[in-house]
Amino acid sequence: MIKFNKVLKDITSYEAGKPIELVVREYGIDPKDVVKLASNENPIGTSPKVAQVLRDHADKAHLYPDDSMFELKEALSCKYEVKSENIIIGAGSDQVLEFISRAVLDDKSSVLMSAVTFAMYEIYAKQMGAKVLRTLSYEHKYDEFIEAYEMKKPKIVYICTPNNPTGDATSKAEVLRIIRAIGEDAIVVVDGAYMEYASAKDQAYAITPNDIMEFPNVIYLGTFSKAYGLGGMRVGYGIAQEALIAQLSKMRPPFNISSLSLAAAIEASKDTDFVEESIALHTQEIQTL
Ligand SMILES: Cc1ncc(COP(=O)(O)O)c(C=O)c1O
């Protein structure tokens, strides 16, 4: 009998949102009548410019991608005014979360997050045998985070803003207050998967990688899956000081981003009109709530 790693008995697999095709097949309804709310995909669709680039790359599938990801890192360097050595690219920011967990966790460590937040933080921690600690509130409250940090000294502290699935955002001032009170022994992850939407709403909630670059133990995560409309391409990134990125890079498998995904993300980073349209729709919908 196969003896699986004992940590597996404690893990419930991530349940992804049902694809539209499956709902159509199951209920025999028109795909146009299905609105998928799970996974927070971009309702506008794929940028036509990105779609064209994907077609243009169709005959280059025999080539391995550029493992240095030079062009994509250049694009992100320009956007955020950081060096390419400050950037790690993952197959979705999900994969960067995995690199972080594998780099520091073991069965004697713990991670700290808010009461209700992105499911993968817990799954990656449990894969490493680490304990999961949660604050009482789903908001990221300074007192709750610092009390739990002081008591348990977790190796990773997650700040998800705007938070998935609750949608609330934490102000930059509060995030920085939490970061400053946490010792440099823990990695603080500022997960900005939905940051484009928060920034558009109120500048007090806008956090950029530059805001955290002075801290050697903090990493900012971003993704092309949401406002950039590339969920299916799987491209995300982490931005931090060079020494932290160098350690996390040891966890990265070669060619972890396909050439099509790289090309799509490079084009998406140039297509600012598409992102602005996504943000405008989001802002408009929020106002009708
Ligand atoms: C808060 C948060 N972080 C990270 C991710 C991972 O996104 P991706 O792997 O598509 O970049 C998601 C996806 O839904 C998310 O909601």
Side-chain angles (χ1 to χ4, degrees), residues 42 44 47 79 196-197 227-229 268-281:
N42 193 314
I44 297 178
S47 141
K79 177 176 177 193
E196 287 84 359
Y197 301 125
Y228 287 82
S269 66
K270 293 180 202 156
D271 191 356
T272 45
D273 287 349
F274 180 86
V275 182
E276 277 165 24
E277 198 188 328
S278 303
I279 293 171
L281 175 64

Side-chain angles (χ1 to χ4, degrees), residues 14 39-40 90-95 97 117-118 120-121 160-164 191-194 221-226 230-231 234-237:
Y14 181 79
S39 307
N40 303 324
S93 50
D94 237 329
Q95 196 183 31
L97 287 168
T117 189
F118 185 46
M120 290 312 297
Y121 306 152
C160 185
T161 179
N163 190 27
N164 175 11
D191 187 343
Y194 304 96
L221 299 193
T223 182
F224 284 93
S225 299
K226 311 298 178 184
L230 291 188
R234 314 302 303 122
V235 188
Y237 50 89

